[in-house]
Amino acid sequence: MSRARTAGTTGLASVMLALGLHAPALAADQARLGNVQQAIESLAKTDGVVGAIGEVYVDGKRVDKGSAGTRLLGGKGGRIPPASRYRVGSQTKLMTATVVLQLVKEGKLSLDDQLADVLPQVARQDLVERAGEITVQQLLRHSSGVPDFFASGKFADPFDFTTYYSPIDLVKASRKVSRTGEPGAGFAYSNTNYVLLGLIAEKVTGRSLSAELDRRLFRPLGMKHTYLTTKPPQGIKGPHGHGYYPDDKGRPRDIDRQNASFGGAAGGVVSTSHDLSAFYRALNQGRLLPADLQRAAGQPRPDLCGGTVAAAAGSGPGFLAVTYTSSDGRLQFAVSTTLKIDNQRAMPVNDAMNKAAATMLCPS
């Protein structure tokens, strides 16, 4: 999950005042809040962007929306409906973490539990080196030293849309890569950590992670358009934007199908701006976890608007999605872009998204 750079100096209090949150009408005075359509149009002009959508929510009510670019490459397909579903990438990790930490709250799991104890097969089959020293907390915080399965090189073809790899297959692939460090020694981002956490959640509950996300988060929070993809050919339901990725000759190729095997607990959720806003609002307002466990989830630190707005990002071939949320959980700006460039060239798009958010949320 990436972190947005600091942009803007005015505190969120100014935004809330501008939105008239202390007045009877929620949108009584929105004159100082940036225009979402203008911000999204500016974002869509960034090199590599095919289409972009965004919505702003305050206290669970949508106050503005925008869409620019097109659903398909070459100006085809019309604009993406702002309420469309899209891949959220690594924003999934915070949802998986919430499920795991709810199990801790219920006494079914401990942050100090060792991987070898809660998931014996990874030690018995030597799937994770030093599994007897790695804790649940270290998996949550990416400090386990377990390498990323993508580093194995086994999954280098972004156009392999059909081969199914189980979570255990991904863990096995990571075993062939050198550890990133000692257990608990320091941060080293690895999708494998969250593949393991998903397996732990399934082991403890006896249900699939998809069922647990639905039971604990999606249904209670009214996230009716959100679901977890885990196997090909699962994709995005309904009208949505298509992402593209350069082939070996540099030509952008439609990558809308993708391979759901690589997502799952680490990045497989498909959602909407409305549903993501509901999740971050509930999380930041303490309705999903007590304060001590909420801190254990390792939420993104505030960067925007004088340190009062945080950004949670997720990316993959053909897309980049970021949700900006206030520290009190009242305000969300959820943005999705579809791309026609590889991830190594996507940093300017990330910067443009942060700029759009600053324009929206940090009135000067």
Side-chain angles (χ1 to χ4, degrees):
M1 190 177 295
S2 60
R3 291 175 176 173
R5 298 177 184 175
T6 302
T9 57
T10 304
L12 184 61
S14 299
V15 180
M16 294 304 180
L17 181 61
L19 285 170
L21 291 181
H22 301 292
L26 177 69
D29 179 13
Q30 298 180 30
R32 292 177 59 199
L33 178 67
N35 183 283
V36 174
Q37 182 59 34
Q38 290 179 3
I40 295 298
E41 286 178 359
S42 178
L43 170 61
K45 294 176 182 177
T46 308
D47 184 45
V49 173
V50 177
I53 56 175
E55 294 186 332
V56 172
Y57 284 82
V58 179
D59 287 343
K61 298 182 179 179
R62 187 177 69 185
V63 298
D64 207 353
K65 62 181 180 179
S67 176
T70 52
R71 286 202 317 114
L72 305 174
L73 191 63
K76 300 177 181 179
R79 288 186 172 178
I80 308 170
S84 295
R85 292 184 178 95
Y86 54 87
R87 291 184 173 87
V88 309
S90 284
Q91 294 187 63
T92 303
K93 289 181 173 68
L94 194 51
M95 300 178 191
T96 299
T98 300
V99 169
V100 170
L101 290 167
Q102 286 188 351
L103 294 173
V104 172
K105 176 187 174 184
E106 295 162 8
K108 299 173 183 175
L109 198 62
S110 167
L111 291 175
D112 296 323
D113 281 346
Q114 294 179 342
L115 178 59
D117 293 331
V118 293
L119 209 60
Q121 72 183 104
V122 302
R124 193 167 55 241
Q125 299 177 25
D126 192 29
L127 302 181
V128 176
E129 188 178 1
R130 302 175 69 174
E133 303 172 52
I134 295 168
T135 67
V136 170
Q137 175 72 92
Q138 290 166 2
L139 294 172
L140 287 165
R141 289 300 184 92
H142 292 288
S143 63
S144 69
V146 177
D148 198 316
F149 61 82
F150 279 119
S152 68
K154 183 177 180 179
F155 315 108
D157 181 6
F159 303 111
D160 175 9
F161 302 133
T162 58
T163 305
Y164 172 63
Y165 300 99
S166 71
I168 287 296
D169 290 333
L170 303 181
V171 176
K172 285 180 179 178
S174 74
R175 183 65 176 89
K176 299 178 181 179
V177 182
S178 298
R179 288 181 52 80
T180 58
E182 298 292 312
F187 179 90
Y189 190 88
S190 172
N191 286 288
T192 314
N193 287 317
Y194 275 76
V195 173
L196 290 165
L197 287 168
L199 289 169
I200 290 170
E202 293 182 340
K203 176 77 171 180
V204 172
T205 64
R207 289 180 286 268
S208 70
L209 179 62
S210 178
E212 283 301 294
L213 285 167
D214 189 60
R215 186 173 75 90
R216 293 172 178 271
L217 301 180
F218 302 161
R219 276 188 288 158
L221 297 178
M223 300 169 67
K224 297 180 181 179
H225 302 290
T226 302
Y227 56 94
L228 179 70
T229 62
T230 58
K231 298 179 180 179
Q234 289 174 302
I236 304 173
K237 301 174 184 177
H240 61 274
H242 283 226
Y244 300 79
Y245 199 82
D247 62 17
D248 55 5
K249 295 183 179 180
R251 298 171 300 193
R253 177 177 166 185
D254 193 316
I255 199 164
D256 180 62
R257 290 176 66 193
Q258 301 213 353
N259 190 326
S261 296
F262 303 137
V269 164
V270 170
S271 190
T272 64
S273 294
H274 169 274
D275 289 5
L276 287 172
S277 296
F279 169 68
Y280 287 105
R281 184 166 59 254
L283 184 66
N284 282 33
Q285 292 180 347
R287 290 188 278 125
L288 299 177
L289 295 169
D292 58 334
L293 291 180
Q294 189 170 331
R295 288 191 293 270
Q299 293 184 75
R301 66 180 178 85
D303 287 295
L304 294 171
C305 303
T308 57
V309 173
S315 65
F319 76 92
L320 174 59
V322 184
T323 304
Y324 302 87
T325 190
S326 61
S327 55
D328 63 3
R330 299 184 68 186
L331 171 68
Q332 287 80 35
F333 178 35
V335 191
S336 169
T337 57
T338 47
L339 310 176
K340 57 181 179 182
I341 53 177
D342 60 43
N343 294 75
Q344 287 71 35
R345 296 170 54 205
M347 184 54 72
V349 179
N350 182 71
D351 292 341
M353 294 175 85
N354 294 337
K355 182 177 179 181
T359 300
M360 280 298 311
L361 308 178
C362 313
S364 59

PDB file of all heavy atoms in Angstrom, residues 257-289:
ATOM      1  N   ARG A 257      -9.103  -8.651 -18.003  1.00  0.00           N
ATOM      2  CA  ARG A 257      -9.414  -9.939 -17.370  1.00  0.00           C
ATOM      3  C   ARG A 257      -8.509 -10.183 -16.161  1.00  0.00           C
ATOM      4  O   ARG A 257      -8.973 -10.580 -15.108  1.00  0.00           O
ATOM      5  CB  ARG A 257      -9.258 -11.065 -18.386  1.00  0.00           C
ATOM      6  CG  ARG A 257     -10.310 -11.071 -19.479  1.00  0.00           C
ATOM      7  CD  ARG A 257     -10.008 -12.160 -20.491  1.00  0.00           C
ATOM      8  NE  ARG A 257     -10.134 -13.488 -19.892  1.00  0.00           N
ATOM      9  CZ  ARG A 257      -9.693 -14.597 -20.482  1.00  0.00           C
ATOM     10  NH1 ARG A 257      -9.094 -14.528 -21.658  1.00  0.00           N
ATOM     11  NH2 ARG A 257      -9.844 -15.758 -19.890  1.00  0.00           N
ATOM     12  N   GLN A 258      -7.217 -10.007 -16.317  1.00  0.00           N
ATOM     13  CA  GLN A 258      -6.218 -10.254 -15.289  1.00  0.00           C
ATOM     14  C   GLN A 258      -6.316 -11.693 -14.749  1.00  0.00           C
ATOM     15  O   GLN A 258      -7.101 -12.504 -15.202  1.00  0.00           O
ATOM     16  CB  GLN A 258      -6.299  -9.209 -14.181  1.00  0.00           C
ATOM     17  CG  GLN A 258      -6.099  -7.799 -14.691  1.00  0.00           C
ATOM     18  CD  GLN A 258      -5.417  -6.882 -13.727  1.00  0.00           C
ATOM     19  OE1 GLN A 258      -5.169  -7.202 -12.581  1.00  0.00           O
ATOM     20  NE2 GLN A 258      -5.096  -5.697 -14.205  1.00  0.00           N
ATOM     21  N   ASN A 259      -5.482 -11.979 -13.766  1.00  0.00           N
ATOM     22  CA  ASN A 259      -5.485 -13.312 -13.156  1.00  0.00           C
ATOM     23  C   ASN A 259      -5.770 -13.155 -11.665  1.00  0.00           C
ATOM     24  O   ASN A 259      -4.918 -12.705 -10.900  1.00  0.00           O
ATOM     25  CB  ASN A 259      -4.135 -14.007 -13.363  1.00  0.00           C
ATOM     26  CG  ASN A 259      -4.179 -15.476 -12.953  1.00  0.00           C
ATOM     27  OD1 ASN A 259      -4.876 -15.861 -12.016  1.00  0.00           O
ATOM     28  ND2 ASN A 259      -3.419 -16.312 -13.647  1.00  0.00           N
ATOM     29  N   ALA A 260      -6.983 -13.507 -11.283  1.00  0.00           N
ATOM     30  CA  ALA A 260      -7.415 -13.310  -9.903  1.00  0.00           C
ATOM     31  C   ALA A 260      -6.614 -14.126  -8.901  1.00  0.00           C
ATOM     32  O   ALA A 260      -6.674 -13.855  -7.695  1.00  0.00           O
ATOM     33  CB  ALA A 260      -8.898 -13.646  -9.764  1.00  0.00           C
ATOM     34  N   SER A 261      -5.847 -15.120  -9.368  1.00  0.00           N
ATOM     35  CA  SER A 261      -5.031 -15.930  -8.454  1.00  0.00           C
ATOM     36  C   SER A 261      -4.054 -15.080  -7.648  1.00  0.00           C
ATOM     37  O   SER A 261      -3.703 -15.419  -6.520  1.00  0.00           O
ATOM     38  CB  SER A 261      -4.223 -16.965  -9.242  1.00  0.00           C
ATOM     39  OG  SER A 261      -5.036 -17.890  -9.887  1.00  0.00           O
ATOM     40  N   PHE A 262      -3.562 -14.005  -8.271  1.00  0.00           N
ATOM     41  CA  PHE A 262      -2.518 -13.209  -7.629  1.00  0.00           C
ATOM     42  C   PHE A 262      -3.076 -12.196  -6.628  1.00  0.00           C
ATOM     43  O   PHE A 262      -2.323 -11.540  -5.926  1.00  0.00           O
ATOM     44  CB  PHE A 262      -1.702 -12.454  -8.688  1.00  0.00           C
ATOM     45  CG  PHE A 262      -1.084 -13.340  -9.723  1.00  0.00           C
ATOM     46  CD1 PHE A 262      -1.108 -12.997 -11.057  1.00  0.00           C
ATOM     47  CD2 PHE A 262      -0.495 -14.543  -9.363  1.00  0.00           C
ATOM     48  CE1 PHE A 262      -0.539 -13.824 -12.023  1.00  0.00           C
ATOM     49  CE2 PHE A 262       0.067 -15.380 -10.318  1.00  0.00           C
ATOM     50  CZ  PHE A 262       0.049 -15.011 -11.651  1.00  0.00           C
ATOM     51  N   GLY A 263      -4.388 -12.043  -6.601  1.00  0.00           N
ATOM     52  CA  GLY A 263      -5.000 -11.051  -5.721  1.00  0.00           C
ATOM     53  C   GLY A 263      -5.337 -11.626  -4.362  1.00  0.00           C
ATOM     54  O   GLY A 263      -4.545 -11.609  -3.436  1.00  0.00           O
ATOM     55  N   GLY A 264      -6.544 -12.194  -4.260  1.00  0.00           N
ATOM     56  CA  GLY A 264      -6.968 -12.790  -3.001  1.00  0.00           C
ATOM     57  C   GLY A 264      -6.811 -11.859  -1.822  1.00  0.00           C
ATOM     58  O   GLY A 264      -7.137 -10.669  -1.883  1.00  0.00           O
ATOM     59  N   ALA A 265      -6.281 -12.381  -0.737  1.00  0.00           N
ATOM     60  CA  ALA A 265      -6.147 -11.627   0.509  1.00  0.00           C
ATOM     61  C   ALA A 265      -5.220 -10.429   0.396  1.00  0.00           C
ATOM     62  O   ALA A 265      -5.298  -9.491   1.186  1.00  0.00           O
ATOM     63  CB  ALA A 265      -5.636 -12.559   1.610  1.00  0.00           C
ATOM     64  N   ALA A 266      -4.334 -10.445  -0.597  1.00  0.00           N
ATOM     65  CA  ALA A 266      -3.355  -9.370  -0.742  1.00  0.00           C
ATOM     66  C   ALA A 266      -3.822  -8.254  -1.659  1.00  0.00           C
ATOM     67  O   ALA A 266      -3.333  -7.125  -1.548  1.00  0.00           O
ATOM     68  CB  ALA A 266      -2.032  -9.927  -1.270  1.00  0.00           C
ATOM     69  N   GLY A 267      -4.765  -8.542  -2.569  1.00  0.00           N
ATOM     70  CA  GLY A 267      -5.141  -7.488  -3.504  1.00  0.00           C
ATOM     71  C   GLY A 267      -6.290  -7.820  -4.416  1.00  0.00           C
ATOM     72  O   GLY A 267      -6.401  -7.253  -5.496  1.00  0.00           O
ATOM     73  N   GLY A 268      -7.199  -8.714  -4.003  1.00  0.00           N
ATOM     74  CA  GLY A 268      -8.227  -9.197  -4.910  1.00  0.00           C
ATOM     75  C   GLY A 268      -9.589  -8.549  -4.837  1.00  0.00           C
ATOM     76  O   GLY A 268     -10.498  -8.950  -5.559  1.00  0.00           O
ATOM     77  N   VAL A 269      -9.768  -7.523  -4.023  1.00  0.00           N
ATOM     78  CA  VAL A 269     -11.100  -6.940  -3.865  1.00  0.00           C
ATOM     79  C   VAL A 269     -11.454  -6.032  -5.046  1.00  0.00           C
ATOM     80  O   VAL A 269     -10.630  -5.269  -5.548  1.00  0.00           O
ATOM     81  CB  VAL A 269     -11.211  -6.152  -2.549  1.00  0.00           C
ATOM     82  CG1 VAL A 269     -12.429  -5.225  -2.536  1.00  0.00           C
ATOM     83  CG2 VAL A 269     -11.302  -7.125  -1.365  1.00  0.00           C
ATOM     84  N   VAL A 270     -12.694  -6.147  -5.492  1.00  0.00           N
ATOM     85  CA  VAL A 270     -13.303  -5.237  -6.450  1.00  0.00           C
ATOM     86  C   VAL A 270     -14.366  -4.459  -5.693  1.00  0.00           C
ATOM     87  O   VAL A 270     -15.165  -5.047  -4.943  1.00  0.00           O
ATOM     88  CB  VAL A 270     -13.932  -6.011  -7.624  1.00  0.00           C
ATOM     89  CG1 VAL A 270     -14.775  -5.091  -8.497  1.00  0.00           C
ATOM     90  CG2 VAL A 270     -12.847  -6.695  -8.448  1.00  0.00           C
ATOM     91  N   SER A 271     -14.395  -3.129  -5.865  1.00  0.00           N
ATOM     92  CA  SER A 271     -15.306  -2.321  -5.056  1.00  0.00           C
ATOM     93  C   SER A 271     -15.733  -1.077  -5.827  1.00  0.00           C
ATOM     94  O   SER A 271     -15.501  -0.960  -7.036  1.00  0.00           O
ATOM     95  CB  SER A 271     -14.626  -1.944  -3.727  1.00  0.00           C
ATOM     96  OG  SER A 271     -15.545  -1.358  -2.826  1.00  0.00           O
ATOM     97  N   THR A 272     -16.336  -0.148  -5.108  1.00  0.00           N
ATOM     98  CA  THR A 272     -16.762   1.146  -5.657  1.00  0.00           C
ATOM     99  C   THR A 272     -16.351   2.259  -4.701  1.00  0.00           C
ATOM    100  O   THR A 272     -16.007   2.009  -3.539  1.00  0.00           O
ATOM    101  CB  THR A 272     -18.289   1.210  -5.828  1.00  0.00           C
ATOM    102  OG1 THR A 272     -18.904   1.127  -4.521  1.00  0.00           O
ATOM    103  CG2 THR A 272     -18.813   0.073  -6.695  1.00  0.00           C
ATOM    104  N   SER A 273     -16.426   3.480  -5.186  1.00  0.00           N
ATOM    105  CA  SER A 273     -16.114   4.624  -4.332  1.00  0.00           C
ATOM    106  C   SER A 273     -17.032   4.665  -3.105  1.00  0.00           C
ATOM    107  O   SER A 273     -16.592   4.926  -1.986  1.00  0.00           O
ATOM    108  CB  SER A 273     -16.246   5.934  -5.119  1.00  0.00           C
ATOM    109  OG  SER A 273     -15.279   6.017  -6.140  1.00  0.00           O
ATOM    110  N   HIS A 274     -18.303   4.394  -3.323  1.00  0.00           N
ATOM    111  CA  HIS A 274     -19.252   4.391  -2.209  1.00  0.00           C
ATOM    112  C   HIS A 274     -18.866   3.368  -1.152  1.00  0.00           C
ATOM    113  O   HIS A 274     -18.825   3.661   0.051  1.00  0.00           O
ATOM    114  CB  HIS A 274     -20.662   4.077  -2.723  1.00  0.00           C
ATOM    115  CG  HIS A 274     -21.652   3.804  -1.633  1.00  0.00           C
ATOM    116  ND1 HIS A 274     -21.823   2.543  -1.074  1.00  0.00           N
ATOM    117  CD2 HIS A 274     -22.505   4.619  -0.969  1.00  0.00           C
ATOM    118  CE1 HIS A 274     -22.732   2.591  -0.130  1.00  0.00           C
ATOM    119  NE2 HIS A 274     -23.175   3.841  -0.047  1.00  0.00           N
ATOM    120  N   ASP A 275     -18.570   2.150  -1.588  1.00  0.00           N
ATOM    121  CA  ASP A 275     -18.292   1.071  -0.642  1.00  0.00           C
ATOM    122  C   ASP A 275     -16.969   1.277   0.078  1.00  0.00           C
ATOM    123  O   ASP A 275     -16.856   1.020   1.290  1.00  0.00           O
ATOM    124  CB  ASP A 275     -18.302  -0.270  -1.365  1.00  0.00           C
ATOM    125  CG  ASP A 275     -19.711  -0.701  -1.784  1.00  0.00           C
ATOM    126  OD1 ASP A 275     -20.658   0.083  -1.589  1.00  0.00           O
ATOM    127  OD2 ASP A 275     -19.846  -1.820  -2.306  1.00  0.00           O
ATOM    128  N   LEU A 276     -15.953   1.738  -0.645  1.00  0.00           N
ATOM    129  CA  LEU A 276     -14.671   2.021   0.008  1.00  0.00           C
ATOM    130  C   LEU A 276     -14.829   3.122   1.046  1.00  0.00           C
ATOM    131  O   LEU A 276     -14.244   3.062   2.129  1.00  0.00           O
ATOM    132  CB  LEU A 276     -13.625   2.426  -1.029  1.00  0.00           C
ATOM    133  CG  LEU A 276     -13.095   1.305  -1.913  1.00  0.00           C
ATOM    134  CD1 LEU A 276     -12.214   1.883  -3.013  1.00  0.00           C
ATOM    135  CD2 LEU A 276     -12.309   0.278  -1.103  1.00  0.00           C
ATOM    136  N   SER A 277     -15.625   4.128   0.727  1.00  0.00           N
ATOM    137  CA  SER A 277     -15.858   5.207   1.690  1.00  0.00           C
ATOM    138  C   SER A 277     -16.511   4.673   2.954  1.00  0.00           C
ATOM    139  O   SER A 277     -16.165   5.080   4.068  1.00  0.00           O
ATOM    140  CB  SER A 277     -16.727   6.295   1.050  1.00  0.00           C
ATOM    141  OG  SER A 277     -16.064   6.909  -0.038  1.00  0.00           O
ATOM    142  N   ALA A 278     -17.440   3.738   2.777  1.00  0.00           N
ATOM    143  CA  ALA A 278     -18.105   3.137   3.938  1.00  0.00           C
ATOM    144  C   ALA A 278     -17.104   2.388   4.810  1.00  0.00           C
ATOM    145  O   ALA A 278     -17.158   2.451   6.050  1.00  0.00           O
ATOM    146  CB  ALA A 278     -19.214   2.202   3.477  1.00  0.00           C
ATOM    147  N   PHE A 279     -16.177   1.667   4.174  1.00  0.00           N
ATOM    148  CA  PHE A 279     -15.184   0.903   4.935  1.00  0.00           C
ATOM    149  C   PHE A 279     -14.254   1.822   5.709  1.00  0.00           C
ATOM    150  O   PHE A 279     -14.062   1.645   6.924  1.00  0.00           O
ATOM    151  CB  PHE A 279     -14.369   0.023   3.990  1.00  0.00           C
ATOM    152  CG  PHE A 279     -13.159  -0.605   4.644  1.00  0.00           C
ATOM    153  CD1 PHE A 279     -13.308  -1.568   5.628  1.00  0.00           C
ATOM    154  CD2 PHE A 279     -11.877  -0.212   4.294  1.00  0.00           C
ATOM    155  CE1 PHE A 279     -12.193  -2.140   6.255  1.00  0.00           C
ATOM    156  CE2 PHE A 279     -10.764  -0.771   4.895  1.00  0.00           C
ATOM    157  CZ  PHE A 279     -10.915  -1.734   5.881  1.00  0.00           C
ATOM    158  N   TYR A 280     -13.666   2.812   5.051  1.00  0.00           N
ATOM    159  CA  TYR A 280     -12.714   3.686   5.738  1.00  0.00           C
ATOM    160  C   TYR A 280     -13.393   4.556   6.786  1.00  0.00           C
ATOM    161  O   TYR A 280     -12.795   4.868   7.823  1.00  0.00           O
ATOM    162  CB  TYR A 280     -11.978   4.560   4.715  1.00  0.00           C
ATOM    163  CG  TYR A 280     -10.965   3.785   3.916  1.00  0.00           C
ATOM    164  CD1 TYR A 280     -11.208   3.423   2.593  1.00  0.00           C
ATOM    165  CD2 TYR A 280      -9.767   3.369   4.489  1.00  0.00           C
ATOM    166  CE1 TYR A 280     -10.295   2.687   1.862  1.00  0.00           C
ATOM    167  CE2 TYR A 280      -8.844   2.627   3.771  1.00  0.00           C
ATOM    168  CZ  TYR A 280      -9.109   2.286   2.461  1.00  0.00           C
ATOM    169  OH  TYR A 280      -8.199   1.542   1.749  1.00  0.00           O
ATOM    170  N   ARG A 281     -14.632   4.919   6.549  1.00  0.00           N
ATOM    171  CA  ARG A 281     -15.366   5.687   7.554  1.00  0.00           C
ATOM    172  C   ARG A 281     -15.560   4.857   8.822  1.00  0.00           C
ATOM    173  O   ARG A 281     -15.302   5.323   9.937  1.00  0.00           O
ATOM    174  CB  ARG A 281     -16.722   6.122   6.980  1.00  0.00           C
ATOM    175  CG  ARG A 281     -17.537   7.011   7.908  1.00  0.00           C
ATOM    176  CD  ARG A 281     -18.690   7.664   7.144  1.00  0.00           C
ATOM    177  NE  ARG A 281     -19.603   6.697   6.550  1.00  0.00           N
ATOM    178  CZ  ARG A 281     -19.663   6.413   5.244  1.00  0.00           C
ATOM    179  NH1 ARG A 281     -18.851   6.997   4.398  1.00  0.00           N
ATOM    180  NH2 ARG A 281     -20.523   5.518   4.790  1.00  0.00           N
ATOM    181  N   ALA A 282     -15.992   3.624   8.665  1.00  0.00           N
ATOM    182  CA  ALA A 282     -16.216   2.755   9.821  1.00  0.00           C
ATOM    183  C   ALA A 282     -14.919   2.438  10.544  1.00  0.00           C
ATOM    184  O   ALA A 282     -14.868   2.429  11.788  1.00  0.00           O
ATOM    185  CB  ALA A 282     -16.895   1.460   9.374  1.00  0.00           C
ATOM    186  N   LEU A 283     -13.852   2.193   9.788  1.00  0.00           N
ATOM    187  CA  LEU A 283     -12.573   1.858  10.407  1.00  0.00           C
ATOM    188  C   LEU A 283     -12.025   3.029  11.211  1.00  0.00           C
ATOM    189  O   LEU A 283     -11.621   2.876  12.369  1.00  0.00           O
ATOM    190  CB  LEU A 283     -11.572   1.432   9.332  1.00  0.00           C
ATOM    191  CG  LEU A 283     -10.214   0.951   9.836  1.00  0.00           C
ATOM    192  CD1 LEU A 283     -10.356  -0.341  10.627  1.00  0.00           C
ATOM    193  CD2 LEU A 283      -9.242   0.747   8.666  1.00  0.00           C
ATOM    194  N   ASN A 284     -12.011   4.211  10.602  1.00  0.00           N
ATOM    195  CA  ASN A 284     -11.442   5.380  11.272  1.00  0.00           C
ATOM    196  C   ASN A 284     -12.290   5.854  12.439  1.00  0.00           C
ATOM    197  O   ASN A 284     -11.776   6.527  13.340  1.00  0.00           O
ATOM    198  CB  ASN A 284     -11.246   6.522  10.274  1.00  0.00           C
ATOM    199  CG  ASN A 284     -10.025   6.336   9.403  1.00  0.00           C
ATOM    200  OD1 ASN A 284      -9.670   5.200   9.079  1.00  0.00           O
ATOM    201  ND2 ASN A 284      -9.367   7.411   9.031  1.00  0.00           N
ATOM    202  N   GLN A 285     -13.551   5.507  12.448  1.00  0.00           N
ATOM    203  CA  GLN A 285     -14.419   5.914  13.545  1.00  0.00           C
ATOM    204  C   GLN A 285     -14.525   4.841  14.627  1.00  0.00           C
ATOM    205  O   GLN A 285     -15.332   4.962  15.547  1.00  0.00           O
ATOM    206  CB  GLN A 285     -15.805   6.282  13.001  1.00  0.00           C
ATOM    207  CG  GLN A 285     -15.768   7.552  12.142  1.00  0.00           C
ATOM    208  CD  GLN A 285     -17.124   7.941  11.590  1.00  0.00           C
ATOM    209  OE1 GLN A 285     -18.083   7.161  11.633  1.00  0.00           O
ATOM    210  NE2 GLN A 285     -17.224   9.154  11.082  1.00  0.00           N
ATOM    211  N   GLY A 286     -13.693   3.815  14.540  1.00  0.00           N
ATOM    212  CA  GLY A 286     -13.615   2.821  15.598  1.00  0.00           C
ATOM    213  C   GLY A 286     -14.770   1.855  15.665  1.00  0.00           C
ATOM    214  O   GLY A 286     -14.978   1.203  16.698  1.00  0.00           O
ATOM    215  N   ARG A 287     -15.498   1.683  14.571  1.00  0.00           N
ATOM    216  CA  ARG A 287     -16.650   0.780  14.578  1.00  0.00           C
ATOM    217  C   ARG A 287     -16.287  -0.648  14.190  1.00  0.00           C
ATOM    218  O   ARG A 287     -17.123  -1.548  14.292  1.00  0.00           O
ATOM    219  CB  ARG A 287     -17.744   1.319  13.649  1.00  0.00           C
ATOM    220  CG  ARG A 287     -18.415   2.567  14.198  1.00  0.00           C
ATOM    221  CD  ARG A 287     -19.616   2.988  13.375  1.00  0.00           C
ATOM    222  NE  ARG A 287     -19.245   3.748  12.194  1.00  0.00           N
ATOM    223  CZ  ARG A 287     -19.598   3.446  10.959  1.00  0.00           C
ATOM    224  NH1 ARG A 287     -20.303   2.344  10.727  1.00  0.00           N
ATOM    225  NH2 ARG A 287     -19.238   4.201   9.945  1.00  0.00           N
ATOM    226  N   LEU A 288     -15.044  -0.864  13.758  1.00  0.00           N
ATOM    227  CA  LEU A 288     -14.622  -2.204  13.356  1.00  0.00           C
ATOM    228  C   LEU A 288     -13.620  -2.819  14.308  1.00  0.00           C
ATOM    229  O   LEU A 288     -13.591  -4.036  14.479  1.00  0.00           O
ATOM    230  CB  LEU A 288     -14.022  -2.156  11.943  1.00  0.00           C
ATOM    231  CG  LEU A 288     -14.955  -1.689  10.831  1.00  0.00           C
ATOM    232  CD1 LEU A 288     -14.214  -1.625   9.502  1.00  0.00           C
ATOM    233  CD2 LEU A 288     -16.165  -2.610  10.715  1.00  0.00           C
ATOM    234  N   LEU A 289     -12.801  -1.978  14.929  1.00  0.00           N
ATOM    235  CA  LEU A 289     -11.744  -2.460  15.821  1.00  0.00           C
ATOM    236  C   LEU A 289     -11.555  -1.491  16.979  1.00  0.00           C
ATOM    237  O   LEU A 289     -11.724  -0.281  16.813  1.00  0.00           O
ATOM    238  CB  LEU A 289     -10.415  -2.565  15.063  1.00  0.00           C
ATOM    239  CG  LEU A 289     -10.308  -3.586  13.931  1.00  0.00           C
ATOM    240  CD1 LEU A 289      -9.034  -3.344  13.132  1.00  0.00           C
ATOM    241  CD2 LEU A 289     -10.332  -5.008  14.480  1.00  0.00           C
TER     242      LEU A 289
END
